[in-house]
Amino acid sequence: QKEVEQNSGPLSVPEGAIASLNCTYSDRGSQSFFWYRQYSGKSPELIMSIYSNGDKEDGRFTAQLNKASQYVSLLIRDSQPSDSATYLCAVNPSGTYKYIFGTGTRLKVLA
Amino acid sequence: NAGVTQTPKFRILKIGQSMTLQCTQDMNHNYMYWYRQDPGMGLKLIYYSVGAGITDKGEVPNGYNVSRSTTEDFPLRLELAAPSQTSVYFCASSRPGQGVSEAFFGQGTRLTVV
């Protein structure tokens, strides 16, 4: 079982819709969770971080964490063509500050 | 404040050659990391360091070496380049325990081994 798993996509949504991106992780003791956005040919940039169960909202982005189910998600409301990118889920496994990444989900927002 | 700076941006190596990818950060971060990213894939951790003089292996360390003599610098050494090392390499840094513990990334080095 991979440490961090994501559906590679592509996930296609129409402009203005909600995009839902999902990530599961294997280390039950993981404490910190991150969503990065990566445009083609560019470096990853942080979108959201979440540390506690529940929802965390920042503008059009909402991160959701469920530690019991070992599941973290990212919702993007009112999706824009500029949101088209690859979204990487990252986790700090228990007891470390390494960042273990999933393979990423490619999102396409159709105008 | 430049953040994380990597050099070079692009490099072509011949099989068997060696090179050092440079990484420096000016954010006084104690943690530094090297990742590689193959096409269509996520980031794989090569090596990381929790401070000057301390390094540890990540998920894919074979064929690479690192050193950390200062807080700012974390070079990655390829001794005998192989085609399998063709990839984009990212250096990152973080300062855990300061509230937000995100990793900040450099702009990447695109390496081709022929």
Side-chain angles (χ1 to χ4, degrees), chain A residues 36 38 43 46 51 97-99 102, chain B residues 33 35 37 48 96 101 103 106:
Chain A
Y36 282 83
Q38 187 177 29
S43 57
L46 184 76
Y51 308 101
Y97 288 109
K98 300 186 293 187
Y99 299 81
Chain B
Y33 312 83
Y35 289 89
Q37 186 174 37
Y48 68 104
S101 63

Side-chain angles (χ1 to χ4, degrees), chain B:
Chain B
N1 189 336
V4 180
T5 302
Q6 293 182 235
T7 56
K9 288 188 172 59
F10 303 93
R11 183 72 185 267
I12 297 175
L13 275 183
K14 293 185 178 179
I15 294 171
Q17 286 185 323
S18 55
M19 76 165 293
T20 299
L21 282 66
Q22 302 292 345
C23 176
T24 189
Q25 52 91 10
D26 62 0
M27 298 177 282
N28 199 29
H29 285 173
N30 48 341
Y31 280 68
M32 295 188 74
Y33 312 83
W34 275 105
Y35 289 89
R36 61 175 287 172
Q37 186 174 37
D38 298 327
M41 301 297 288
L43 297 156
K44 292 292 186 184
L45 181 64
I46 304 172
Y47 272 95
Y48 68 104
S49 169
V50 304
I54 306 170
T55 62
D56 207 349
K57 295 178 180 179
E59 302 165 279
V60 289
N62 291 342
Y64 308 94
N65 279 300
V66 294
S67 59
R68 183 97 180 269
S69 56
T70 68
T71 299
E72 294 78 20
D73 300 307
F74 190 40
L76 177 71
R77 179 85 178 159
L78 283 71
E79 290 294 348
L80 291 170
S84 60
Q85 293 177 306
T86 294
S87 191
V88 179
Y89 291 83
F90 289 102
C91 179
S93 71
S94 72
R95 192 177 177 90
Q98 299 291 312
V100 177
S101 63
E102 67 174 287
F104 294 82
F105 284 83
Q107 72 271 46
T109 295
R110 188 174 296 273
L111 175 68
T112 302
V113 181
V114 296

